[in-house]
Amino acid sequence: MRFLPRFTALSALLLASVPVFAGGPRQHISFTTTFQPVPGGLLLRTIPPVQAGIVHFASAVQIDGANVDLELIARLEYTNGSGPFSGFITHRWQNGDVLVTRYVGGAVLNADNSSTVTGTLTVLGGEGKYLNASGYGTVLGHRDGVFGSPVIYDVNLNVLFASNGRDQKRGDDNGRWKDDSGDANFRGRKVISLDTWLTALPAEQVLNDAGPGGRLRYGIVRLTGPSNYKGSPVSVEVAVAVEYINGDGPYSGFMNFDFADGTILCRYTGAAERDKAGNTVVSGKLEPFLGTGAYANVRGTGRVVGTRSGVVGSPLENRIELRLQ
């Protein structure tokens, strides 16, 4: 990734720049903890030197004398052990208070095979006293073992409390696809069109709700489904992190295709929107960036349009198009 060499320099800047809020009640949260991988919580694809997918970790700490359970879920994309990630860290108090933070950062593999993790936290709200909270924070972590080993985290977080509700503002790409079928840059490319139903088992979903009526839904989902290309079976797998408000919002992760003659791994970003009938329409972009076999040097672009009538994780009908160089 282009920005990997900047992680070390950015880490020092981020850790020194937690905002100071002017006015209003606030809380400073600081703790050190060891996150342990949750059994079955690593949903990864490895095509050397790249490792991409979804991870799920958990821990427990004391904050101001109260016991708090922690959950970390994230999508990552590492090359030779280093790379970016994004996801969520959730804090759950025994009295029902919940603090939800968006977590963005990166890991760097050191010369001694340990890893350094840095990241920033953005408060999304939560339950109880954190219902309308906002704020920012930083994370500095270290892992001595191989990927998937426990990670020691130092967390510093400033929380600002508000007396009224607020909407989450997003700068994410909404995943709308611009029709480029007439673009000369795409003429002559190999086009692969697929139809598939993608489904998720309950054990392959880590979804959380926060806010009134579960207004905020966030977490990770893995979906799989069969398809067919030129008479041969194709296996489709999706692993994404989602952040929805009242059913609408962005997602990002990966889509993998196992063809008879090779594999294509794509970055997958987009958004879900509820229509007037209550169905969910999913639209996203694909960026093929890694492959095996006949697709070893794959590059190109793609799009996905899907619909479902149920909740997140319900069967999703998809039309997929890949345009390969």
Side-chain angles (χ1 to χ4, degrees):
M1 306 303 290
R2 293 187 183 91
F3 49 85
L4 284 181
R6 300 178 185 172
F7 278 159
T8 302
L10 281 175
S11 301
L13 176 61
L14 291 171
L15 291 171
S17 59
V18 179
V20 176
F21 300 107
R26 53 182 177 257
Q27 178 186 13
H28 177 70
I29 296 175
S30 177
F31 58 83
T32 298
T33 190
T34 300
F35 274 99
Q36 303 280 352
V38 174
L42 299 177
L43 307 174
L44 296 170
R45 282 274 177 165
T46 300
I47 303 177
V50 172
Q51 193 170 40
I54 300 294
V55 295
H56 185 195
F57 286 77
S59 184
V61 296
Q62 279 203 339
I63 298 176
D64 296 332
N67 294 325
V68 181
D69 292 324
L70 302 175
E71 178 187 59
L72 188 162
I73 50 181
R75 55 90 74 185
L76 59 82
E77 182 184 328
Y78 291 170
T79 300
N80 292 322
S82 300
F85 56 77
S86 61
F88 309 92
I89 295 180
T90 303
H91 310 64
R92 295 187 177 92
W93 279 258
Q94 293 182 351
N95 66 356
D97 288 341
V98 178
L99 175 63
V100 182
T101 61
R102 184 190 296 123
Y103 180 33
V104 178
V108 174
L109 183 65
N110 303 314
D112 62 358
N113 289 323
S114 66
S115 296
T116 301
V117 178
T118 57
T120 60
L121 301 173
T122 303
V123 176
L124 299 178
E127 300 279 1
K129 66 183 285 188
Y130 299 103
L131 179 63
N132 297 314
S134 60
Y136 298 88
T138 59
V139 172
L140 179 61
H142 183 84
R143 179 177 59 233
D144 289 323
V146 298
F147 179 81
S149 300
V151 186
I152 300 173
Y153 268 16
D154 289 317
V155 177
N156 281 280
L157 186 61
N158 284 328
V159 181
L160 177 66
F161 296 97
S163 58
N164 57 348
R166 62 183 179 93
D167 274 341
Q168 312 297 328
K169 295 183 179 180
R170 308 182 190 280
D172 305 82
D173 180 357
N174 65 6
R176 292 299 184 188
W177 183 268
K178 180 181 179 181
D179 186 6
D180 48 27
S181 57
D183 191 329
N185 293 327
F186 293 95
R187 293 172 188 166
R189 290 191 174 188
K190 179 178 181 180
V191 177
I192 299 176
S193 296
L194 303 172
D195 294 297
T196 184
W197 281 92
L198 297 175
T199 58
L201 298 175
E204 297 175 330
Q205 303 179 58
V206 183
L207 292 169
N208 300 310
D209 295 321
R215 177 175 175 270
L216 170 65
R217 169 159 282 196
Y218 65 98
I220 55 177
V221 181
R222 176 178 177 264
L223 304 100
T224 59
S227 188
N228 185 283
Y229 179 62
K230 292 185 176 181
S232 296
V234 180
S235 177
V236 183
E237 179 186 37
V238 174
V240 292
V242 305
E243 184 185 327
Y244 296 162
I245 291 182
N246 294 329
D248 298 343
Y251 59 81
S252 65
F254 304 92
M255 183 174 287
N256 187 84
F257 303 89
D258 285 326
F259 295 89
D261 55 351
T263 296
I264 299 176
L265 181 61
C266 304
R267 300 182 183 98
Y268 180 31
T269 58
E273 293 183 331
R274 298 289 295 276
D275 62 19
K276 293 181 179 179
N279 299 316
T280 298
V281 178
V282 174
S283 56
K285 298 180 181 179
L286 295 174
E287 181 190 352
F289 73 103
L290 202 62
T292 63
Y295 309 98
N297 298 310
V298 69
R299 290 295 184 273
T301 188
R303 62 180 173 182
V304 179
V305 178
T307 58
R308 69 165 178 265
S309 57
V311 298
V312 177
S314 300
L316 181 67
E317 184 179 11
N318 290 267
R319 181 65 188 270
I320 302 168
E321 183 180 89
L322 289 172
R323 297 180 182 181
L324 307 181
Q325 293 179 346

